Structures are given as structure tokens and as C-alpha cells.
Amino acid sequence: MGELVGPRRNRVDPYGDVVAMDLRGAWTGNRGILHRGPDVVRHHAGSAWIVCVLEFRGRRIPQWAAGHYTPLFFHDEAVALAAGHRPCAECRRPAFRAFVESVNPERPPRAPELDRLLHAQRWQPRVGRRLHDQPWAQLPDGTFVARDRGPALVLGDTLVDWTRSGYRQAGARPRTGSATVLTPPATLHALTAGYPVQIDTIASRLAGQTRSSTDGSSS
């Protein structure tokens, strides 16, 4: 029998780490050449971290092609945005325009300017991933927060836990105090302004079940 090969390190979690897991991705993207052979050897290369559609004009980059960027995969767009990526200006041109206009409607940033801003907000040299404190009450839907038991997604008055197997359970969102936020501040601004982030339907289903259970118990 041949050797069994497990999942490769080409998925991205809400912290922005490139990990090996079976969870399928709704989006692809990249942050430069991260691999040597079939191994990921660096966290990122450059400040342009993008989210792309899975297929565009028949283009397909082999996973570990020498001299080409490393294709990465994201469970849903909310995960990708939490990791610090932004919509691709080529294969997702309408989404990119909607995103930058939501970040700053008076002067939408060009791609290089947006990349520099996001990189400063998501990464600190010699330290690593940057997190931000924000009041719970100000967090828009699609925001990811860091909790002791792992990352969670904000959906209305609920928090939906994310795991390497996908969204798993939902609970009440705190009404007071501050959250430790993964999603960069510029992206929070876009979400608050109404950027239509794609979220896996299971998360919405779990949040709805939690609301129904809460409403039923209080009636």
C-alpha cells in the first residue's frame, strides 16, 4: 500500500496561521511565495494578502509550483478577513470596490495603500499577530474575536465558535465590556459600513437556533 498523505498546510485560520486541516475552502488567495517544495517555510511574503475566487478565467496555479505564489484556502470570507486578507482587485473587482468604498467612502484607498494599512494593523515585526480591543457593542456581523476556547464569529446577539472542523456551537454575545478582536480595524470599518461579507450558512443556522432557544426559554 502507498503511504497515506494527510492534509497539507494550505488552509488559513482566523488568526492568520497557515495550517493543515480537512475543512474545505469557499475561497482561495495568497500572500506571496510561502513554500519550498511541498512545505510552507514562511508566514507571509510581502503586504498584499488577498482573497480570490476558486476559479477565474480557467487559471489554475499548481499547489507547490516553484516560483509561483502559494495558493491558500479559507473556510468562508469572514475567516479570510479576520486573518487580514482583502478581496482581490482582479478576480473580485466588484467586491474590491465595495470593500475600499466601505473602508473610506470619501477617498477609497488604492490596493497598495490598503495593503500597507492592513499589514500594519494585523502584524507587528518581531512580535507577530496584532489583536485589538473593541467594545462588544460596536462589533459588526462578520467580526472574529479571540476567546480562551478559540476564535468566535459575531452574528447579531450571538457568538458562533469556529473550529478546524467548521462552526460548531453558538452562545450569547456579551453586552458590556471589550472584546479581543482578530479582524483588523479597517476591515471592521468596512463591515460596519455594510460590506456584504460571505459567511458559511452553518454559522447563521447555529445563531438562529440559539436565538430560538433563548426566545423560547424566556416566553
Side-chain angles (χ1 to χ4, degrees):
M1 289 180 62
E3 181 182 355
L4 295 178
V5 178
R8 295 289 192 178
R9 281 185 63 200
N10 59 5
R11 305 297 201 266
V12 179
D13 68 14
Y15 294 101
D17 293 329
V18 181
V19 298
M21 60 185 178
D22 290 321
L23 191 62
R24 294 185 62 83
W27 304 92
T28 186
N30 77 88
R31 55 179 78 157
I33 301 174
L34 312 184
H35 66 282
R36 184 181 301 120
D39 298 317
V40 172
V41 296
R42 59 181 62 87
H43 183 269
H44 61 273
S47 61
W49 298 19
I50 64 175
V51 188
C52 300
V53 293
L54 293 174
E55 183 177 349
F56 182 66
R57 296 179 182 174
R59 300 178 190 172
R60 187 176 187 280
I61 301 296
Q63 180 64 53
W64 310 113
H68 290 276
Y69 67 77
T70 307
L72 303 173
F73 297 90
F74 311 91
H75 180 207
D76 62 13
E77 191 181 18
V79 169
L81 297 185
H85 289 244
R86 51 86 174 166
C88 176
E90 182 182 8
C91 70
R92 302 186 63 205
R93 188 67 182 176
F96 174 78
R97 292 304 311 169
F99 189 85
V100 296
E101 289 168 4
S102 297
V103 169
N104 187 342
E106 296 183 359
R107 193 181 69 82
R110 298 174 67 87
E113 180 184 1
L114 177 62
D115 291 337
R116 289 192 294 270
L117 173 63
L118 287 173
H119 198 61
Q121 294 179 349
R122 71 192 169 216
W123 194 258
Q124 187 172 353
R126 295 184 295 277
V127 175
R129 183 62 198 264
R130 294 191 65 181
L131 305 178
H132 304 270
D133 291 335
Q134 293 286 341
W136 281 108
Q138 296 179 11
L139 298 181
D141 285 3
T143 301
F144 261 95
V145 299
R147 309 181 79 195
D148 290 342
R149 63 172 179 253
L153 176 75
V154 173
L155 271 183
D157 56 358
T158 66
L159 286 179
V160 187
D161 291 342
W162 184 91
T163 74
R164 292 190 179 188
S165 298
Y167 295 104
R168 280 294 173 263
Q169 62 181 359
R173 168 184 177 175
R175 297 184 179 182
T176 60
S178 294
T180 301
V181 180
L182 294 169
T183 308
T187 304
L188 287 184
H189 195 88
L191 294 173
T192 300
Y195 175 77
V197 58
Q198 180 267 331
I199 298 171
D200 189 89
T201 55
I202 292 177
S204 300
R205 188 183 312 152
L206 290 168
Q209 291 171 354
T210 297
R211 294 189 194 103
S212 298
S213 175
T214 302
D215 292 343
S217 64
S218 61
S219 60

